[in-house]
Amino acid sequence: MTLTAAQRRTVAWLGIAAAALLLLWLLAPVLLPFLLAAVLAYALHPAVEWLVARRLPRLLAVLLLEAAAILAVLGLLLLMVPILSKELPLLREQIPVLAARLNEVLAPWLAQHGVNLSLDIASIKAFVVKYLNANLEDWLSTALSSARIGGSFVLAIAGHAVLVPVVLFYLLMDWPEVVRRTLQFVPPRFEAGVTGFLAECDEVLGQYLRGQLLVMVILAAYYSVGLALFGFDLAVPVGVFTGLAIFIPYLGFGLGMVLALLAGVLQFASWYGVIGVAVVYGIGQLVESFYLTPRLVGERIGMHPITVIFALLAFGHLLGFVGVLIALPVSALLVVAVRRLRRTYLESRLYLG
């Protein structure tokens, strides 16, 4: 069987694609920090180029932006400090009280249905005293013990924490050269089309990142003000954490809501805290899902609000949590591809006849 030149090229490209996918699959565990660094470099390189254009040395621009990114991540993590420092003492005080109240309500109800069950309040108090009254040395000892048990996991996290900033630094320093060398792999006859497509994708993804950042800022302010109106002591740290964590769909919202529920139950020791969280977070989720994200993110990348909602549901159904996480940026790239396919179709003989 003799293949034409076009068929041979097609087979060659399919072979290259299959080999690349196989290599990615085999190296997936090793590639994770490099992938994270590449995503961060893509997001930060416009700011680097802006500073360089204003005659700031590239090395200094990269160091400043990488330091700012690290401080932003640390700041998000440090939001947990006031939450934990406030909630741990409350846990120590309120868990026995809440257990006693639950026992008073639950035991009679179960007895009516033939189940004799009651909580051992003394054991609960002993557990709380043992673990929540532990001093720093005890917590450190427990943490070191856990690290020995899951040593490989701890080492992997520590390795990523060191490797990602190092790779990010070199990528930002050499970003123009990395892009130039990557484009050299594109055959000359496809160079104009590929360059135009990538430029359009870059514009759409930039709009997506700006829209997502705007949504995060609005929600951080909303959750902080909403919880404060209900009288939450931890309104600002919990609200800001929830708003910024929204970047991770569903997981960020869920973690923020759990922290708010814990703060509400411990502070008010009644249904008032639960109702406050339900109202603030229920409204926030509805507004974010059906207005903010479709309008501020979807419309910026050229997607109708209904299309945004469908993309989140479809990617979530196909790929689970990872699908939800990548739904909008991947959809943004698909929008560019569909635009170009539509333009090609309208200019083709198939359409014009």
Side-chain angles (χ1 to χ4, degrees):
M1 179 179 177
T2 304
L3 299 176
T4 63
Q7 290 173 335
R8 286 196 298 270
R9 284 196 298 269
T10 301
V11 171
W13 280 114
L14 289 175
I16 292 171
L21 289 174
L22 178 61
L23 187 62
L24 288 174
W25 180 70
L26 293 173
L27 296 177
V30 179
L31 290 176
L32 180 59
F34 294 90
L35 180 61
L36 290 174
V39 172
L40 290 172
Y42 174 79
L44 293 175
H45 89 88
V48 172
E49 302 302 332
W50 185 84
L51 291 174
V52 170
R54 278 147 185 80
R55 299 183 179 180
L56 191 70
R58 190 174 190 88
L59 176 61
L60 183 57
V62 170
L63 289 175
L64 285 175
L65 282 172
E66 187 162 0
I70 293 172
L71 289 175
V73 174
L74 290 176
L76 183 60
L77 295 176
L78 288 175
L79 283 174
M80 301 297 292
V81 174
I83 298 173
L84 293 177
S85 64
K86 180 78 175 180
E87 291 187 353
L88 285 177
L90 288 174
L91 275 173
R92 187 169 56 245
E93 298 171 5
Q94 293 292 341
I95 284 180
V97 176
L98 293 173
R101 289 184 181 179
L102 183 62
N103 198 38
E104 292 173 1
V105 175
L106 188 62
W109 183 81
L110 291 174
Q112 292 177 1
H113 294 79
V115 179
N116 294 319
L117 179 66
S118 63
L119 298 175
D120 188 350
I121 306 300
S123 297
I124 293 174
K125 285 185 177 180
F127 177 86
V128 170
V129 169
K130 179 180 179 180
Y131 289 100
L132 294 184
N133 274 342
N135 54 32
L136 180 61
E137 288 77 12
D138 296 331
W139 283 102
L140 184 59
S141 175
T142 303
L144 290 175
S145 177
S146 300
R148 285 193 293 270
I149 294 172
S152 59
F153 176 76
V154 173
L155 287 175
I157 295 295
H160 286 21
V162 174
L163 187 57
V164 170
V166 172
V167 177
L168 175 61
F169 171 80
Y170 285 109
L171 284 176
L172 287 175
M173 284 295 296
D174 300 328
W175 187 262
E177 185 65 17
V178 169
V179 173
R180 187 187 67 80
R181 289 185 178 181
T182 302
L183 290 177
Q184 284 181 342
F185 288 97
V186 179
R189 63 183 180 279
F190 299 137
E191 186 174 350
V194 171
T195 303
F197 176 75
L198 292 178
E200 196 171 346
C201 288
D202 183 63
E203 175 65 24
V204 172
L205 286 176
Q207 294 289 348
Y208 162 76
L209 290 174
R210 286 188 286 272
Q212 188 66 52
L213 182 62
L214 187 57
V215 170
M216 291 161 59
V217 171
I218 291 173
L219 288 176
Y222 163 76
Y223 284 119
S224 298
V225 172
L227 293 174
L229 291 176
F230 275 92
F232 280 65
D233 292 337
L234 294 171
V236 174
V238 173
V240 171
F241 178 86
T242 304
L244 298 182
I246 288 294
F247 189 79
I248 307 174
Y250 299 113
L251 180 61
F253 170 82
L255 182 57
M257 186 173 66
V258 168
L259 291 174
L261 280 172
L262 189 59
V265 170
L266 294 176
Q267 179 181 340
F268 300 106
S270 67
W271 286 102
Y272 177 81
V274 177
I275 293 171
V277 172
V279 171
V280 173
Y281 279 74
I283 294 174
Q285 180 65 8
L286 289 175
V287 172
E288 187 267 332
S289 298
F290 294 101
Y291 183 79
L292 289 179
T293 297
R295 293 292 180 186
L296 298 180
V297 179
E299 289 187 355
R300 282 172 174 260
I301 60 179
M303 293 176 65
H304 192 276
I306 295 177
T307 308
V308 172
I309 297 170
F310 173 78
L312 289 170
L313 294 175
F315 276 83
H317 174 72
L318 294 173
L319 300 173
F321 170 71
V322 175
V324 174
L325 192 62
I326 66 172
L328 291 184
V330 172
S331 296
L333 300 181
L334 291 176
V335 165
V336 177
V338 169
R339 285 178 189 166
R340 290 187 162 249
L341 287 174
R342 179 178 179 274
R343 192 182 311 142
T344 302
Y345 168 68
L346 294 178
E347 295 172 355
S348 68
R349 292 182 180 178
L350 182 62
Y351 177 79
L352 298 175

